[in-house]
Amino acid sequence: MIARFPSIARLLKRRAKSEDGSIVVEGARKATGGKGRTRIVMTMAVFFGIYSTITGRLVYLGFQNPDLSGGPQSRVTASRPDIVDRNGEVLATDIKTASLFAEPRRIVDADEAIEKLATVLPEIDYEQTYHKLKSGAGFVWLQRQLTPKQQSDIMQLGVPGFGFRTEKRRFYPAGETSSYIVGLTNIDNQGISGMEKYIDEQGLSDLQASGLAVAKDLKPVQLSIDLRVQHIVRDEVATGMEKYRAIAAGAVVLNIKTGEVMAMASVPDFDPNNPYNAQDKDRLNRMSAGLYEMGSTLKSFTTAMALDSGKVTLESRFDASRPIRIGRQTIHDFHGKARVLSVPEVFIYSSNIGSAKEAEAVGIEGHREFLHRLGILEKMQTELPEVARPTEPKVWKQVHSITIAFGHGVSTTPLQTAVGCAALLNGGYLIQPTFLRRAQEQAMSVAKKVVSDKTVESMRYLYALNAEKGSGRNARVPGYRVGGKTGTAEKVVNGRYSKDKNFNAFVAAFPMDDPQYIVLTIADEPRPEKPGMGATAASNAGVMAANIIRRSASMLGVKPDFSHENGATLVSYQ
């Protein structure tokens, strides 16, 4: 029957082949293979896209500036060399300290964190700290240079997101004693004043920036000052300021053979370990950065100028019997003798009239040239950055020369005055001052001859004579043959010279047979020590100079010698 129906037979045959599976499997394989390849291609495309995105991001970031918010810069902990005195005593050194930072992204509750921190650091600025902790930055400083106790107490708070970084900070063992000389560093241990700033300017800041300021490679910087003498000078000027109720006082001890500053102090001063008041307007290094009319101390230069010109000798005489009238000004003597005076008398009586006539003998141009020659009116060249530029009239006229002859009309610094006086006594050589150790041979290689040997001999005599018979008597110290010159200048207040506000100075030298040191002291607006007493330089600045010499001479290597007492050094000139 099946044979009769060939179409049915063909259908059954086809079904049989399908049941056998050969035809079905082959078709499935073909379908499955096409779909698999599609999935693989799609997977590869996805991974390629992901890796391309990552690679592109890395390349982008590679060309961006680094994010410095994640931590402090390395210069914060850059090392500085120790600063030592001429005997090796440490004046400034690096110490390790901890600084507190926060990672704001890890701070859970900023208010709670600040409240806890305030229990240890009550001075912290709440609003500023709150903004820092809420900034979302990776790193912020909260407080630099903590004490060990503060660090320990903050650690006990257990605030997540707070951490510490070890830094270097500057420590000054001498404190206020040498603050104006040594100077200060800022929070990042960079010099901002005094010798600290000078050291940076000599290349230390470049080493720090390049990461080459390694502690073991930095040699100590040795200064010229003697810490023992520095302590005496600072103590005497601080005592003098209080004793004479002055608004300021200062002093410098200068080696006249080398130009080395052995000690220098100015008060009020500050503690470099806690310099909260260092920027106050009364905190000024008056010895190098203060400008003053130096009063009768400038008569040293007037007399030396007259003698060095060859137009005046010690035997010359000047009529000081009447005041000098020039224009609307009248020049008087403070304690006038109303007679003709010899040059030594002009000096020891500090005659304004006699000094004016000495200047007239030289002339205006010669007068100006001499003061510039001695550096009195030039900006001083030394390592200390805090140096003021002297002032003088733009055009010198006769009235200017006359008033400048006795110390009015030009302003200079006390340190420059000391340096100029040293040149009159050390053999006639102007030697710029230094705060670094310097041998005499080195000093002479940069020295400049400014006055003759004969002028030096005469000035030594006049300084010794003034201490014996003139206004310098209060500065005498038995055994040390001190000579000197006072200077009492009326201060300018509201454009006029004040009768009750003085700037006093005393310049002393010792030992006068072969001077080794200059001591210059100042007292700004001193008052009488007792009712009825005066407030002239002899009664305050001169006394301060004597005390400094008395206490420091042996430390400076000057031995007492009593063989020249009672005016023996003056015999050959009288």
Side-chain angles (χ1 to χ4, degrees):
M1 184 178 290
I2 296 174
R4 293 179 180 178
F5 297 96
S7 59
I8 296 175
R10 288 194 298 271
L11 178 63
L12 291 174
K13 186 177 179 180
R14 197 180 299 120
R15 184 180 180 86
K17 288 181 179 180
S18 298
E19 289 175 351
D20 183 63
S22 60
I23 295 176
V24 174
V25 171
E26 183 178 352
R29 284 176 180 170
K30 289 180 180 179
T32 305
K35 294 179 180 179
R37 283 193 296 273
T38 300
R39 292 191 186 100
I40 291 172
V41 171
M42 290 179 66
T43 302
M44 290 176 64
V46 170
F47 277 101
F48 180 78
I50 293 173
Y51 283 111
S52 296
T53 302
I54 294 173
T55 303
R57 183 63 176 170
L58 290 174
V59 171
Y60 170 78
L61 292 175
F63 286 97
Q64 304 305 304
N65 291 325
D67 181 9
L68 300 178
S69 64
Q73 299 180 41
S74 60
R75 66 179 175 81
V76 170
T77 56
S79 297
R80 299 184 65 81
D82 285 354
I83 299 178
V84 299
D85 83 334
R86 65 187 303 109
N87 300 313
E89 295 293 330
V90 176
L91 301 173
T93 189
D94 281 345
I95 61 172
K96 291 182 178 181
T97 183
S99 290
L100 175 66
F101 68 86
E103 298 171 275
R105 296 168 189 165
R106 296 181 56 200
I107 300 295
V108 178
D109 188 333
D111 290 297
E112 181 183 5
I114 297 174
E115 287 177 3
K116 288 185 176 181
L117 186 60
T119 62
V120 180
L121 304 174
E123 74 280 3
I124 198 165
D125 188 305
Y126 187 98
E127 183 177 354
Q128 185 183 64
T129 306
Y130 180 82
H131 287 307
K132 286 183 178 181
L133 296 184
K134 297 294 287 185
S135 66
F139 175 96
V140 292
W141 284 119
L142 293 184
Q143 187 82 342
R144 307 283 287 278
Q145 301 180 353
L146 301 170
T147 67
K149 185 179 187 307
Q150 287 173 328
Q151 181 186 13
S152 176
D153 291 344
I154 293 172
M155 292 176 66
Q156 295 297 321
L157 298 176
V159 178
F162 281 1
F164 299 93
R165 165 114 186 209
T166 299
E167 295 188 285
K168 293 185 179 71
R169 65 164 291 185
R170 214 59 169 156
F171 176 63
Y172 302 93
E176 300 97 331
T177 302
S178 56
S179 57
Y180 284 121
I181 295 176
V182 177
L184 278 175
T185 57
N186 61 15
I187 195 71
D188 292 325
N189 218 23
Q190 297 170 318
I192 57 175
S193 69
M195 294 302 291
E196 293 278 32
K197 184 176 181 180
Y198 167 78
I199 292 170
D200 277 23
E201 292 173 346
Q202 299 309 299
L204 178 64
S205 57
D206 294 332
L207 289 176
Q208 291 176 333
S210 62
L212 298 177
V214 181
K216 64 183 180 64
D217 297 330
L218 298 175
K219 296 182 179 180
V221 176
Q222 190 169 41
L223 303 189
S224 59
I225 68 170
D226 186 321
L227 185 57
R228 301 169 302 171
V229 180
Q230 179 69 28
H231 170 75
I232 291 170
V233 170
R234 200 269 174 182
D235 181 59
E236 285 297 334
V237 298
T239 300
M241 177 179 166
E242 180 180 0
K243 181 178 180 181
Y244 305 118
R245 293 172 291 164
I247 64 172
V252 61
V253 178
L254 181 73
N255 184 323
I256 71 172
K257 299 293 182 69
T258 66
E260 293 174 295
V261 176
M262 307 300 293
M264 186 176 73
S266 175
V267 290
D269 51 20
F270 60 92
D271 182 357
N273 295 308
N274 183 27
Y276 69 94
N277 58 350
Q279 298 299 319
D280 290 357
K281 65 179 182 179
D282 65 335
R283 262 59 180 185
L284 170 71
N285 181 6
R286 288 168 168 80
M287 301 308 293
S288 67
L291 289 176
Y292 303 98
E293 293 187 347
M294 295 298 296
S296 294
T297 56
L298 256 64
K299 291 174 181 174
S300 297
F301 306 119
T302 303
T303 299
M305 170 188 69
L307 294 170
D308 202 61
S309 70
K311 299 176 181 179
V312 175
T313 68
L314 288 177
E315 289 72 33
S316 298
R317 305 174 75 81
F318 295 96
D319 185 1
S321 59
R322 291 183 298 276
I324 297 177
R325 291 180 175 84
I326 181 167
R328 291 181 294 178
Q329 297 192 46
T330 302
I331 311 302
H332 297 275
D333 279 343
F334 185 62
H335 291 299
K337 300 299 179 181
R339 61 178 175 81
V340 174
L341 302 175
S342 65
V343 168
E345 288 176 325
V346 168
F347 194 79
I348 66 173
Y349 298 143
S350 199
S351 171
N352 293 339
I353 299 171
S355 297
K357 292 192 173 183
E358 288 178 340
E360 283 184 320
V362 175
I364 298 172
E365 289 304 316
H367 191 180
R368 184 175 184 275
E369 184 277 331
F370 187 83
L371 292 183
H372 276 279
R373 190 198 314 170
L374 267 70
I376 304 303
L377 301 180
E378 302 285 349
K379 185 175 181 180
M380 184 170 53
Q381 301 299 313
T382 189
E383 300 84 10
L384 211 63
E386 295 79 23
V387 173
R389 182 181 294 277
T391 63
E392 62 174 308
K394 291 184 179 180
V395 178
W396 281 46
K397 299 179 180 179
Q398 185 68 21
V399 64
H400 297 128
S401 182
I402 287 175
T403 57
I404 291 169
F406 53 84
H408 288 289
V410 295
S411 296
T412 189
T413 70
L415 180 56
Q416 281 177 274
T417 305
V419 171
C421 290
L424 303 180
L425 302 170
N426 67 2
Y429 293 94
L430 179 65
I431 305 174
Q432 293 294 344
T434 181
F435 290 85
L436 300 173
R437 287 205 67 172
R438 180 165 65 190
Q440 187 169 348
E441 294 75 17
Q442 294 174 300
M444 292 308 296
S445 68
V446 297
K448 178 182 177 182
K449 184 78 169 180
V450 289
V451 295
S452 68
D453 293 342
K454 186 175 181 180
T455 300
V456 171
E457 183 182 8
S458 297
M459 292 307 299
R460 289 182 181 182
Y461 160 65
L462 292 175
Y463 264 58
L465 180 65
N466 193 47
E468 185 67 28
K469 297 184 176 181
S471 59
R473 289 189 295 271
N474 286 349
R476 290 182 298 182
V477 179
Y480 290 106
R481 308 179 306 285
V482 179
K485 183 72 184 78
T486 54
T488 302
E490 295 176 344
K491 294 184 67 174
V492 176
V493 179
N494 297 323
R496 301 178 64 87
Y497 284 104
S498 171
K499 296 296 183 183
D500 56 0
K501 291 184 178 180
N502 293 337
F503 178 82
N504 293 351
F506 189 91
V507 56
F510 72 100
M512 283 315 303
D513 53 321
D514 183 18
Q516 303 293 316
Y517 296 98
I518 287 279
V519 177
L520 189 145
T521 55
I522 63 170
D524 196 353
E525 295 185 22
R527 298 180 183 179
E529 184 179 357
K530 298 177 182 178
M533 289 184 61
T536 60
S539 61
N540 41 63
V543 174
M544 290 162 55
N547 291 340
I548 290 172
I549 295 170
R550 185 179 297 107
R551 295 175 62 184
S552 66
S554 60
M555 296 176 186
L556 293 169
V558 180
K559 297 180 180 180
D561 181 359
F562 298 95
S563 63
H564 295 285
E565 293 297 311
N566 300 319
T569 58
L570 310 180
V571 172
S572 60
Y573 295 96
Q574 295 182 2

